[in-house]
Amino acid sequence: MRSPRTPPRAETVGSLLRPPRLRAAIDAFYESGHSAVLASERGRDASELRMAEDDAIRDAVRRQIDTGLDVVTDGEFRRWMFMNSFYDAVSGVRTGKPVSFRNERGEDVRLNVHEIVDRLEVVDSPAAREAAFVAGITDGFPFKVTFPAASIFTHPLTTVAGPDGSGYGSLGAFVAHAIELERRLVADAIERGARYVQFDFPLYPYLVDPAWIGRFEAEGHSVGELLETALAADEAVLREIPPGVTVALHICRGNFRSSWMCEGSLEPVAEHVFGRLPYDVFLVEWDDLGRDGGIEPIRFLREGSIMVMGLVSSKTPVLESEGSILSRMDEAARLVGGLERLAISPQCGFASVMVGNEIDEDSQWRKLELVADVAGRLWS
């Protein structure tokens, strides 16, 4: 097995498209509308599904290593949705709350997500099993495990109680408890072999999107106060993570069927996020600068951290040119003070939700090969 670069320079964000055999096994096991494991599903015999997951993960890990990536994932093949390292682990949720995404065709794309209906209780630790399995098949090659960013729990429009009032009396009470539970789940994954933990989808892109700002302010929320609450949550979840474990924050703008939830430059929050939060690695989407704003906010990157430039789109099968990516990396190096402070990745996962983006598997792997090729040119 080849030796990866340290720190990793060719990164992957997390999810991969589910291969056809695994998709068929998932469809056969779960009822239509499934998006997180509920109490009624926990006692079912999932042995055939687990075998399909195991086989698909072995193949995906091997191919990521052969492609030239420096850190791999299990493709999030055991999850219906990227956030389910948390929501598959707890009771007290249901899965029928609709949210809207936007796409390049101007369509409103709906997804049903988790909703709190009772006080959460840890009933499982799926990320720990994910970590143990990948540790057992990688022979020491670096891998990452992902969790929801703690600041997404602070979203001010989050439902935190059921129709009968069960759950939490305030958003703050929910956030404090959710962070406490997530720290336990992260500790479990570390105990089972995870040495790279990534937190996905923090609140910050909402706080720079004019449409979302308007919604928040219409409900009486101050964007400045929401920012401070989000920063505190993303710091709090890191408490008690031991030395030697890499922690990363992936700043995602939403990723479902090649659509997104948020738009806008990170400039208004960048100094607070990149300059204050004590993460080793920041992975940021920069695949559409018209939608995302320019890359200038990376100039606030704190000393000692790595900025992973998400310049390769996971939303479209169109393959970026190596020359354009290298040019953008050169620009980024000037902003942060050198290539040693950078790495490269796709902008997001290829299937943050099980159904995946509007892209085929061959295109997915070509894009990961591009990431590896660019890293090879820059950090040979």
Side-chain angles (χ1 to χ4, degrees):
M1 185 180 295
R2 66 178 179 81
S3 297
R5 286 164 289 236
T6 303
R9 302 298 185 180
E11 280 256 19
T12 184
V13 170
S15 63
L16 299 171
L17 295 169
R18 278 54 165 181
R21 178 171 172 259
L22 178 57
R23 281 287 299 270
I26 293 168
D27 290 342
F29 185 80
Y30 291 115
E31 298 292 333
S32 176
H34 168 89
S35 62
V37 177
L38 303 178
S40 60
E41 298 168 321
R42 294 190 186 279
R44 295 178 58 198
D45 179 6
S47 55
E48 290 190 16
L49 176 59
R50 296 292 172 258
M51 285 190 290
E53 291 169 347
D54 291 352
D55 290 344
I57 290 167
R58 289 189 186 95
D59 290 345
V61 165
R62 185 181 310 112
R63 188 158 183 182
Q64 288 172 85
I65 293 172
D66 291 345
T67 295
L69 299 182
D70 296 318
V71 60
V72 302
T73 75
D74 68 356
E76 298 178 358
F77 285 170
R78 303 191 194 277
R79 312 178 189 183
W80 193 91
M81 184 181 187
F82 75 98
M83 300 178 80
N84 285 2
S85 49
F86 184 82
Y87 285 105
D88 279 354
V90 297
S91 63
V93 302
R94 66 181 178 192
T95 57
K97 182 178 181 178
V99 295
S100 294
F101 290 73
R102 319 168 207 176
N103 67 20
E104 61 183 8
R105 298 182 292 275
E107 298 166 336
D108 183 40
V109 184
R110 292 297 183 98
L111 172 67
N112 286 338
V113 297
H114 319 94
E115 185 175 25
I116 308 303
V117 294
D118 204 348
R119 186 173 175 82
L120 301 183
E121 180 182 349
V122 171
V123 294
D124 197 2
S125 196
R129 288 196 303 278
E130 292 173 0
F133 183 82
V134 180
I137 63 171
T138 47
D139 193 26
F141 198 92
F143 68 91
K144 67 171 71 170
V145 173
T146 66
F147 287 86
S151 61
I152 199 59
F153 299 138
T154 74
H155 193 299
L157 304 185
T158 300
T159 302
V160 298
D164 63 353
S166 300
Y168 300 89
S170 69
L171 178 62
F174 162 70
V175 170
H177 192 216
I179 291 172
E180 175 190 335
L181 299 184
E182 182 152 278
R183 282 202 296 256
R184 286 171 51 188
L185 297 170
V186 169
D188 289 346
I190 292 169
E191 185 178 356
R192 300 296 297 276
R195 291 298 176 267
Y196 187 146
V197 179
Q198 177 178 298
F199 296 87
D200 288 330
F201 197 42
L203 189 68
Y204 312 111
Y206 288 94
L207 303 182
V208 300
D209 184 313
W212 279 105
I213 290 171
R215 293 187 189 112
F216 296 155
E217 291 180 343
E219 295 290 328
H221 299 288
S222 159
V223 171
E225 291 176 0
L226 293 176
L227 175 60
E228 287 302 317
T229 300
L231 292 164
D234 284 329
E235 289 189 71
V237 78
L238 301 182
R239 291 177 195 152
E240 302 177 10
I241 291 182
V245 175
T246 297
V247 291
L249 188 68
H250 172 230
I251 298 181
C252 171
R253 294 171 170 90
N255 188 51
F256 170 57
R257 292 174 54 193
S258 297
S259 57
W260 58 89
M261 298 187 78
C262 304
E263 301 178 357
S265 169
L266 294 173
E267 185 70 26
V269 301
E271 187 169 9
H272 299 278
V273 175
F274 301 142
R276 168 175 158 184
L277 289 177
Y279 286 79
D280 302 306
V281 180
F282 294 92
L283 301 95
V284 186
E285 297 189 353
W286 304 111
D287 63 310
D288 185 326
L289 297 188
R291 189 170 67 237
D292 304 338
I295 68 171
E296 292 80 8
I298 69 174
R299 70 188 185 277
F300 292 112
L301 182 66
R302 66 195 289 271
E303 288 297 323
S305 293
I306 297 287
M307 175 64 67
V308 182
M309 300 296 291
L311 297 171
V312 176
S313 178
S314 65
K315 289 180 164 63
T316 171
V318 177
L319 187 66
E320 294 80 358
S321 75
E322 185 173 301
S324 67
I325 299 297
L326 288 167
S327 175
R328 191 62 50 74
M329 292 297 291
D330 184 60
E331 178 186 357
R334 291 195 297 271
L335 286 166
V336 299
L339 277 172
E340 69 277 5
R341 307 199 68 204
L342 297 175
I344 185 170
S345 74
Q347 45 91 202
C348 199
F350 293 89
S352 301
V353 174
M354 192 273 289
V355 293
N357 282 345
E358 295 173 354
I359 184 171
D360 58 273
E361 283 192 81
D362 286 344
S363 298
Q364 167 188 266
W365 290 109
R366 282 196 296 271
K367 285 176 176 267
L368 290 172
E369 288 166 1
L370 175 61
V371 166
D373 289 345
V374 168
R377 289 281 299 273
L378 296 175
W379 300 283
S380 57

